[in-house]
PDB file of all heavy atoms in Angstrom:
ATOM      1  N   GLU A  26     100.980 105.768 111.635  1.00  0.00           N
ATOM      2  CA  GLU A  26     100.160 106.890 111.168  1.00  0.00           C
ATOM      3  C   GLU A  26     100.463 108.183 111.901  1.00  0.00           C
ATOM      4  O   GLU A  26     100.133 109.276 111.403  1.00  0.00           O
ATOM      5  CB  GLU A  26      98.674 106.555 111.319  1.00  0.00           C
ATOM      6  CG  GLU A  26      98.205 105.348 110.510  1.00  0.00           C
ATOM      7  CD  GLU A  26      98.224 105.616 109.023  1.00  0.00           C
ATOM      8  OE1 GLU A  26      98.285 106.798 108.614  1.00  0.00           O
ATOM      9  OE2 GLU A  26      98.186 104.627 108.244  1.00  0.00           O
ATOM     10  N   SER A  27     101.063 108.075 113.100  1.00  0.00           N
ATOM     11  CA  SER A  27     101.321 109.238 113.960  1.00  0.00           C
ATOM     12  C   SER A  27     100.046 110.032 114.223  1.00  0.00           C
ATOM     13  O   SER A  27     100.082 111.247 114.402  1.00  0.00           O
ATOM     14  CB  SER A  27     102.395 110.156 113.336  1.00  0.00           C
ATOM     15  OG  SER A  27     103.617 109.471 113.188  1.00  0.00           O
ATOM     16  N   HIS A  28      98.933 109.339 114.257  1.00  0.00           N
ATOM     17  CA  HIS A  28      97.653 110.026 114.417  1.00  0.00           C
ATOM     18  C   HIS A  28      96.591 108.982 114.787  1.00  0.00           C
ATOM     19  O   HIS A  28      96.439 107.955 114.099  1.00  0.00           O
ATOM     20  CB  HIS A  28      97.273 110.726 113.104  1.00  0.00           C
ATOM     21  CG  HIS A  28      96.161 111.700 113.234  1.00  0.00           C
ATOM     22  ND1 HIS A  28      94.839 111.313 113.235  1.00  0.00           N
ATOM     23  CD2 HIS A  28      96.161 113.054 113.368  1.00  0.00           C
ATOM     24  CE1 HIS A  28      94.076 112.384 113.346  1.00  0.00           C
ATOM     25  NE2 HIS A  28      94.859 113.464 113.438  1.00  0.00           N
ATOM     26  N   PHE A  29      95.844 109.244 115.849  1.00  0.00           N
ATOM     27  CA  PHE A  29      94.837 108.285 116.302  1.00  0.00           C
ATOM     28  C   PHE A  29      93.672 108.187 115.312  1.00  0.00           C
ATOM     29  O   PHE A  29      93.144 107.103 115.068  1.00  0.00           O
ATOM     30  CB  PHE A  29      94.309 108.693 117.688  1.00  0.00           C
ATOM     31  CG  PHE A  29      95.099 108.080 118.820  1.00  0.00           C
ATOM     32  CD1 PHE A  29      96.254 108.700 119.298  1.00  0.00           C
ATOM     33  CD2 PHE A  29      94.702 106.888 119.392  1.00  0.00           C
ATOM     34  CE1 PHE A  29      96.979 108.145 120.331  1.00  0.00           C
ATOM     35  CE2 PHE A  29      95.432 106.327 120.435  1.00  0.00           C
ATOM     36  CZ  PHE A  29      96.581 106.953 120.910  1.00  0.00           C
ATOM     37  N   GLY A  30      93.277 109.331 114.762  1.00  0.00           N
ATOM     38  CA  GLY A  30      92.142 109.323 113.845  1.00  0.00           C
ATOM     39  C   GLY A  30      92.418 108.488 112.605  1.00  0.00           C
ATOM     40  O   GLY A  30      91.597 107.647 112.202  1.00  0.00           O
ATOM     41  N   ARG A  31      93.595 108.705 111.978  1.00  0.00           N
ATOM     42  CA  ARG A  31      93.936 107.940 110.776  1.00  0.00           C
ATOM     43  C   ARG A  31      94.137 106.451 111.100  1.00  0.00           C
ATOM     44  O   ARG A  31      93.747 105.576 110.328  1.00  0.00           O
ATOM     45  CB  ARG A  31      95.199 108.510 110.132  1.00  0.00           C
ATOM     46  CG  ARG A  31      95.000 109.880 109.496  1.00  0.00           C
ATOM     47  CD  ARG A  31      96.174 110.243 108.603  1.00  0.00           C
ATOM     48  NE  ARG A  31      97.418 110.358 109.356  1.00  0.00           N
ATOM     49  CZ  ARG A  31      97.845 111.491 109.912  1.00  0.00           C
ATOM     50  NH1 ARG A  31      97.109 112.614 109.810  1.00  0.00           N
ATOM     51  NH2 ARG A  31      98.981 111.537 110.583  1.00  0.00           N
ATOM     52  N   ALA A  32      94.727 106.187 112.277  1.00  0.00           N
ATOM     53  CA  ALA A  32      94.926 104.791 112.672  1.00  0.00           C
ATOM     54  C   ALA A  32      93.584 104.097 112.895  1.00  0.00           C
ATOM     55  O   ALA A  32      93.409 102.930 112.529  1.00  0.00           O
ATOM     56  CB  ALA A  32      95.782 104.720 113.933  1.00  0.00           C
ATOM     57  N   ALA A  33      92.621 104.827 113.493  1.00  0.00           N
ATOM     58  CA  ALA A  33      91.295 104.250 113.725  1.00  0.00           C
ATOM     59  C   ALA A  33      90.619 103.919 112.393  1.00  0.00           C
ATOM     60  O   ALA A  33      89.986 102.859 112.246  1.00  0.00           O
ATOM     61  CB  ALA A  33      90.440 105.207 114.551  1.00  0.00           C
ATOM     62  N   GLU A  34      90.740 104.811 111.411  1.00  0.00           N
ATOM     63  CA  GLU A  34      90.168 104.541 110.089  1.00  0.00           C
ATOM     64  C   GLU A  34      90.833 103.327 109.442  1.00  0.00           C
ATOM     65  O   GLU A  34      90.168 102.493 108.825  1.00  0.00           O
ATOM     66  CB  GLU A  34      90.343 105.767 109.190  1.00  0.00           C
ATOM     67  CG  GLU A  34      89.489 106.967 109.609  1.00  0.00           C
ATOM     68  CD  GLU A  34      89.724 108.166 108.704  1.00  0.00           C
ATOM     69  OE1 GLU A  34      90.503 108.031 107.725  1.00  0.00           O
ATOM     70  OE2 GLU A  34      89.146 109.237 108.981  1.00  0.00           O
ATOM     71  N   ARG A  35      92.122 103.230 109.593  1.00  0.00           N
ATOM     72  CA  ARG A  35      92.874 102.107 109.011  1.00  0.00           C
ATOM     73  C   ARG A  35      92.450 100.766 109.615  1.00  0.00           C
ATOM     74  O   ARG A  35      92.356  99.758 108.904  1.00  0.00           O
ATOM     75  CB  ARG A  35      94.367 102.346 109.246  1.00  0.00           C
ATOM     76  CG  ARG A  35      95.295 101.181 108.940  1.00  0.00           C
ATOM     77  CD  ARG A  35      96.736 101.655 109.062  1.00  0.00           C
ATOM     78  NE  ARG A  35      97.657 100.571 109.322  1.00  0.00           N
ATOM     79  CZ  ARG A  35      98.962 100.720 109.474  1.00  0.00           C
ATOM     80  NH1 ARG A  35      99.492 101.944 109.396  1.00  0.00           N
ATOM     81  NH2 ARG A  35      99.750  99.701 109.709  1.00  0.00           N
ATOM     82  N   LEU A  36      92.138 100.799 110.908  1.00  0.00           N
ATOM     83  CA  LEU A  36      91.757  99.569 111.603  1.00  0.00           C
ATOM     84  C   LEU A  36      90.256  99.332 111.614  1.00  0.00           C
ATOM     85  O   LEU A  36      89.797  98.301 112.112  1.00  0.00           O
ATOM     86  CB  LEU A  36      92.273  99.605 113.044  1.00  0.00           C
ATOM     87  CG  LEU A  36      93.792  99.644 113.223  1.00  0.00           C
ATOM     88  CD1 LEU A  36      94.143  99.877 114.678  1.00  0.00           C
ATOM     89  CD2 LEU A  36      94.432  98.361 112.714  1.00  0.00           C
ATOM     90  N   HIS A  37      89.504 100.308 111.089  1.00  0.00           N
ATOM     91  CA  HIS A  37      88.044 100.208 111.054  1.00  0.00           C
ATOM     92  C   HIS A  37      87.448 100.088 112.459  1.00  0.00           C
ATOM     93  O   HIS A  37      86.587  99.244 112.723  1.00  0.00           O
ATOM     94  CB  HIS A  37      87.604  99.017 110.186  1.00  0.00           C
ATOM     95  CG  HIS A  37      88.164  99.034 108.802  1.00  0.00           C
ATOM     96  ND1 HIS A  37      87.771  99.963 107.853  1.00  0.00           N
ATOM     97  CD2 HIS A  37      89.106  98.261 108.210  1.00  0.00           C
ATOM     98  CE1 HIS A  37      88.446  99.736 106.726  1.00  0.00           C
ATOM     99  NE2 HIS A  37      89.264  98.707 106.930  1.00  0.00           N
ATOM    100  N   VAL A  38      87.952 100.912 113.369  1.00  0.00           N
ATOM    101  CA  VAL A  38      87.408 100.985 114.733  1.00  0.00           C
ATOM    102  C   VAL A  38      87.184 102.451 115.075  1.00  0.00           C
ATOM    103  O   VAL A  38      87.672 103.356 114.386  1.00  0.00           O
ATOM    104  CB  VAL A  38      88.363 100.343 115.763  1.00  0.00           C
ATOM    105  CG1 VAL A  38      88.580  98.879 115.457  1.00  0.00           C
ATOM    106  CG2 VAL A  38      89.703 101.086 115.811  1.00  0.00           C
ATOM    107  N   SER A  39      86.456 102.687 116.148  1.00  0.00           N
ATOM    108  CA  SER A  39      86.252 104.070 116.587  1.00  0.00           C
ATOM    109  C   SER A  39      87.500 104.569 117.292  1.00  0.00           C
ATOM    110  O   SER A  39      88.274 103.786 117.854  1.00  0.00           O
ATOM    111  CB  SER A  39      85.048 104.149 117.533  1.00  0.00           C
ATOM    112  OG  SER A  39      85.341 103.488 118.753  1.00  0.00           O
ATOM    113  N   GLN A  40      87.678 105.889 117.287  1.00  0.00           N
ATOM    114  CA  GLN A  40      88.859 106.468 117.926  1.00  0.00           C
ATOM    115  C   GLN A  40      88.860 106.224 119.433  1.00  0.00           C
ATOM    116  O   GLN A  40      89.913 105.892 119.992  1.00  0.00           O
ATOM    117  CB  GLN A  40      88.949 107.968 117.611  1.00  0.00           C
ATOM    118  CG  GLN A  40      90.266 108.591 118.083  1.00  0.00           C
ATOM    119  CD  GLN A  40      90.461 109.988 117.519  1.00  0.00           C
ATOM    120  OE1 GLN A  40      89.985 110.299 116.428  1.00  0.00           O
ATOM    121  NE2 GLN A  40      91.138 110.846 118.273  1.00  0.00           N
ATOM    122  N   PRO A  41      87.704 106.376 120.131  1.00  0.00           N
ATOM    123  CA  PRO A  41      87.718 106.072 121.574  1.00  0.00           C
ATOM    124  C   PRO A  41      88.114 104.624 121.857  1.00  0.00           C
ATOM    125  O   PRO A  41      88.842 104.356 122.810  1.00  0.00           O
ATOM    126  CB  PRO A  41      86.275 106.349 121.996  1.00  0.00           C
ATOM    127  CG  PRO A  41      85.781 107.344 121.007  1.00  0.00           C
ATOM    128  CD  PRO A  41      86.424 106.963 119.720  1.00  0.00           C
ATOM    129  N   ALA A  42      87.621 103.686 121.038  1.00  0.00           N
ATOM    130  CA  ALA A  42      87.975 102.279 121.252  1.00  0.00           C
ATOM    131  C   ALA A  42      89.467 102.062 121.045  1.00  0.00           C
ATOM    132  O   ALA A  42      90.114 101.308 121.784  1.00  0.00           O
ATOM    133  CB  ALA A  42      87.181 101.394 120.307  1.00  0.00           C
ATOM    134  N   LEU A  43      90.042 102.746 120.057  1.00  0.00           N
ATOM    135  CA  LEU A  43      91.476 102.628 119.805  1.00  0.00           C
ATOM    136  C   LEU A  43      92.269 103.188 120.974  1.00  0.00           C
ATOM    137  O   LEU A  43      93.273 102.602 121.406  1.00  0.00           O
ATOM    138  CB  LEU A  43      91.838 103.346 118.509  1.00  0.00           C
ATOM    139  CG  LEU A  43      93.324 103.347 118.123  1.00  0.00           C
ATOM    140  CD1 LEU A  43      93.849 101.923 117.978  1.00  0.00           C
ATOM    141  CD2 LEU A  43      93.543 104.125 116.833  1.00  0.00           C
ATOM    142  N   SER A  44      91.834 104.325 121.509  1.00  0.00           N
ATOM    143  CA  SER A  44      92.520 104.926 122.654  1.00  0.00           C
ATOM    144  C   SER A  44      92.504 103.980 123.844  1.00  0.00           C
ATOM    145  O   SER A  44      93.511 103.841 124.559  1.00  0.00           O
ATOM    146  CB  SER A  44      91.862 106.257 123.025  1.00  0.00           C
ATOM    147  OG  SER A  44      91.989 107.191 121.963  1.00  0.00           O
ATOM    148  N   ARG A  45      91.367 103.323 124.083  1.00  0.00           N
ATOM    149  CA  ARG A  45      91.295 102.385 125.202  1.00  0.00           C
ATOM    150  C   ARG A  45      92.245 101.206 124.997  1.00  0.00           C
ATOM    151  O   ARG A  45      92.884 100.708 125.941  1.00  0.00           O
ATOM    152  CB  ARG A  45      89.858 101.865 125.352  1.00  0.00           C
ATOM    153  CG  ARG A  45      88.884 102.908 125.904  1.00  0.00           C
ATOM    154  CD  ARG A  45      87.577 102.267 126.341  1.00  0.00           C
ATOM    155  NE  ARG A  45      86.862 101.657 125.222  1.00  0.00           N
ATOM    156  CZ  ARG A  45      85.979 102.314 124.463  1.00  0.00           C
ATOM    157  NH1 ARG A  45      85.719 103.609 124.681  1.00  0.00           N
ATOM    158  NH2 ARG A  45      85.350 101.694 123.479  1.00  0.00           N
ATOM    159  N   THR A  46      92.371 100.735 123.753  1.00  0.00           N
ATOM    160  CA  THR A  46      93.271  99.616 123.463  1.00  0.00           C
ATOM    161  C   THR A  46      94.718 100.008 123.738  1.00  0.00           C
ATOM    162  O   THR A  46      95.488  99.218 124.310  1.00  0.00           O
ATOM    163  CB  THR A  46      93.114  99.171 121.995  1.00  0.00           C
ATOM    164  OG1 THR A  46      91.767  98.773 121.776  1.00  0.00           O
ATOM    165  CG2 THR A  46      94.041  98.009 121.663  1.00  0.00           C
ATOM    166  N   ILE A  47      95.108 101.213 123.328  1.00  0.00           N
ATOM    167  CA  ILE A  47      96.485 101.677 123.558  1.00  0.00           C
ATOM    168  C   ILE A  47      96.745 101.835 125.049  1.00  0.00           C
ATOM    169  O   ILE A  47      97.817 101.470 125.552  1.00  0.00           O
ATOM    170  CB  ILE A  47      96.750 102.987 122.799  1.00  0.00           C
ATOM    171  CG1 ILE A  47      96.675 102.762 121.286  1.00  0.00           C
ATOM    172  CG2 ILE A  47      98.106 103.579 123.198  1.00  0.00           C
ATOM    173  CD1 ILE A  47      97.693 101.778 120.753  1.00  0.00           C
ATOM    174  N   ARG A  48      95.774 102.378 125.793  1.00  0.00           N
ATOM    175  CA  ARG A  48      95.946 102.519 127.248  1.00  0.00           C
ATOM    176  C   ARG A  48      96.107 101.153 127.901  1.00  0.00           C
ATOM    177  O   ARG A  48      96.942 100.976 128.796  1.00  0.00           O
ATOM    178  CB  ARG A  48      94.751 103.253 127.864  1.00  0.00           C
ATOM    179  CG  ARG A  48      94.786 104.770 127.655  1.00  0.00           C
ATOM    180  CD  ARG A  48      93.860 105.496 128.613  1.00  0.00           C
ATOM    181  NE  ARG A  48      92.467 105.086 128.455  1.00  0.00           N
ATOM    182  CZ  ARG A  48      91.617 105.651 127.606  1.00  0.00           C
ATOM    183  NH1 ARG A  48      92.022 106.655 126.828  1.00  0.00           N
ATOM    184  NH2 ARG A  48      90.368 105.226 127.527  1.00  0.00           N
ATOM    185  N   ALA A  49      95.337 100.173 127.429  1.00  0.00           N
ATOM    186  CA  ALA A  49      95.451  98.823 127.984  1.00  0.00           C
ATOM    187  C   ALA A  49      96.833  98.240 127.697  1.00  0.00           C
ATOM    188  O   ALA A  49      97.428  97.560 128.544  1.00  0.00           O
ATOM    189  CB  ALA A  49      94.369  97.925 127.406  1.00  0.00           C
ATOM    190  N   LEU A  50      97.369  98.516 126.525  1.00  0.00           N
ATOM    191  CA  LEU A  50      98.709  98.040 126.182  1.00  0.00           C
ATOM    192  C   LEU A  50      99.752  98.688 127.070  1.00  0.00           C
ATOM    193  O   LEU A  50     100.638  98.004 127.607  1.00  0.00           O
ATOM    194  CB  LEU A  50      99.005  98.323 124.705  1.00  0.00           C
ATOM    195  CG  LEU A  50     100.430  97.993 124.238  1.00  0.00           C
ATOM    196  CD1 LEU A  50     100.720  96.505 124.385  1.00  0.00           C
ATOM    197  CD2 LEU A  50     100.636  98.435 122.787  1.00  0.00           C
ATOM    198  N   GLU A  51      99.665  99.994 127.232  1.00  0.00           N
ATOM    199  CA  GLU A  51     100.636 100.701 128.076  1.00  0.00           C
ATOM    200  C   GLU A  51     100.542 100.244 129.520  1.00  0.00           C
ATOM    201  O   GLU A  51     101.562 100.100 130.209  1.00  0.00           O
ATOM    202  CB  GLU A  51     100.419 102.204 127.962  1.00  0.00           C
ATOM    203  CG  GLU A  51     100.818 102.760 126.593  1.00  0.00           C
ATOM    204  CD  GLU A  51     100.625 104.252 126.483  1.00  0.00           C
ATOM    205  OE1 GLU A  51      99.610 104.761 126.997  1.00  0.00           O
ATOM    206  OE2 GLU A  51     101.491 104.920 125.879  1.00  0.00           O
ATOM    207  N   ASP A  52      99.324  99.970 129.990  1.00  0.00           N
ATOM    208  CA  ASP A  52      99.170  99.445 131.347  1.00  0.00           C
ATOM    209  C   ASP A  52      99.814  98.067 131.455  1.00  0.00           C
ATOM    210  O   ASP A  52     100.451  97.735 132.465  1.00  0.00           O
ATOM    211  CB  ASP A  52      97.682  99.342 131.711  1.00  0.00           C
ATOM    212  CG  ASP A  52      97.044 100.709 131.933  1.00  0.00           C
ATOM    213  OD1 ASP A  52      97.794 101.687 132.124  1.00  0.00           O
ATOM    214  OD2 ASP A  52      95.803 100.788 131.897  1.00  0.00           O
ATOM    215  N   GLY A  53      99.650  97.286 130.415  1.00  0.00           N
ATOM    216  CA  GLY A  53     100.225  95.949 130.436  1.00  0.00           C
ATOM    217  C   GLY A  53     101.743  95.967 130.406  1.00  0.00           C
ATOM    218  O   GLY A  53     102.393  95.183 131.095  1.00  0.00           O
ATOM    219  N   VAL A  54     102.308  96.868 129.604  1.00  0.00           N
ATOM    220  CA  VAL A  54     103.765  96.968 129.507  1.00  0.00           C
ATOM    221  C   VAL A  54     104.339  97.674 130.730  1.00  0.00           C
ATOM    222  O   VAL A  54     105.435  97.353 131.209  1.00  0.00           O
ATOM    223  CB  VAL A  54     104.165  97.702 128.209  1.00  0.00           C
ATOM    224  CG1 VAL A  54     105.672  97.898 128.133  1.00  0.00           C
ATOM    225  CG2 VAL A  54     103.677  96.921 126.995  1.00  0.00           C
ATOM    226  N   GLY A  55     103.589  98.664 131.217  1.00  0.00           N
ATOM    227  CA  GLY A  55     104.040  99.400 132.403  1.00  0.00           C
ATOM    228  C   GLY A  55     104.834 100.642 132.101  1.00  0.00           C
ATOM    229  O   GLY A  55     105.387 101.264 133.016  1.00  0.00           O
ATOM    230  N   VAL A  56     104.912 101.055 130.842  1.00  0.00           N
ATOM    231  CA  VAL A  56     105.619 102.275 130.467  1.00  0.00           C
ATOM    232  C   VAL A  56     104.820 102.989 129.387  1.00  0.00           C
ATOM    233  O   VAL A  56     103.977 102.391 128.723  1.00  0.00           O
ATOM    234  CB  VAL A  56     107.047 101.988 129.935  1.00  0.00           C
ATOM    235  CG1 VAL A  56     107.924 101.363 131.011  1.00  0.00           C
ATOM    236  CG2 VAL A  56     106.989 101.089 128.715  1.00  0.00           C
ATOM    237  N   ALA A  57     105.109 104.281 129.215  1.00  0.00           N
ATOM    238  CA  ALA A  57     104.463 105.046 128.149  1.00  0.00           C
ATOM    239  C   ALA A  57     105.097 104.682 126.816  1.00  0.00           C
ATOM    240  O   ALA A  57     106.323 104.679 126.675  1.00  0.00           O
ATOM    241  CB  ALA A  57     104.597 106.531 128.420  1.00  0.00           C
TER     242      ALA A  57
END
């Protein structure tokens, strides 16, 4: 989607919750 808002709508979650999930993934992988 190249956009957090549209991705959040697609996944039926809030944008803050989506941002936290992406941060957790990046922390897990160790890179941006």
Side-chain angles (χ1 to χ4, degrees):
E26 299 291 343
S27 299
H28 193 278
F29 270 86
R31 290 193 297 270
E34 291 179 3
R35 169 173 157 180
L36 297 172
H37 305 290
V38 299
S39 68
Q40 188 168 330
L43 178 59
S44 297
R45 288 194 297 271
T46 300
I47 295 299
R48 282 198 300 272
L50 174 62
E51 290 181 320
D52 288 343
V54 176
V56 296

